[in-house]
Amino acid sequence: NPRLARYATVTLDQISVRRAGSDADWQVVADLRRAGFSRVSDADPDQVAWLDKLDDQPGTFSLIASIGGADVGTLRVQDGRHGPVEL
């Protein structure tokens, strides 16, 4: 969507936030989810699907936060106008 293109990457101080879009971005999202959730889950991290069907739903997108070029966090955003928000 061209109207949203200007928000594709936002930088504030040294924190940069971008919307996941490429295969490389989605690998970053999966790696960050694994690093975070495998610390608090008893599930075998090699057996978990870190990307799921919700990632491809209309009105859903993921953001990647970076500090100084290092990817440090991810956030999945859901737009409730497209249907119920899943938790």
Side-chain angles (χ1 to χ4, degrees):
N1 183 335
R3 184 174 61 84
L4 300 177
R6 66 184 168 170
Y7 301 112
T9 302
V10 176
T11 301
L12 179 62
D13 197 18
Q14 294 188 17
I15 300 171
S16 177
V17 178
R18 69 184 186 277
R19 187 174 181 163
S22 69
D23 289 342
D25 285 343
W26 286 109
Q27 186 60 53
V28 168
V29 169
D31 291 346
L32 288 169
R33 287 180 184 171
R34 178 185 180 162
F37 290 116
S38 64
R39 293 181 17 212
V40 296
S41 173
D42 293 330
D44 180 354
D46 294 326
Q47 301 299 316
V48 175
W50 297 108
L51 299 176
D52 56 41
K53 65 179 179 114
L54 189 54
D55 289 307
D56 293 322
Q57 296 299 313
T60 302
F61 60 92
S62 288
L63 300 174
I64 301 168
S66 304
I67 298 175
D71 298 320
V72 296
T74 184
L75 172 74
R76 179 162 50 194
V77 179
Q78 298 174 330
D79 183 342
R81 296 175 293 178
H82 293 276
V85 173
E86 293 188 37
L87 302 176

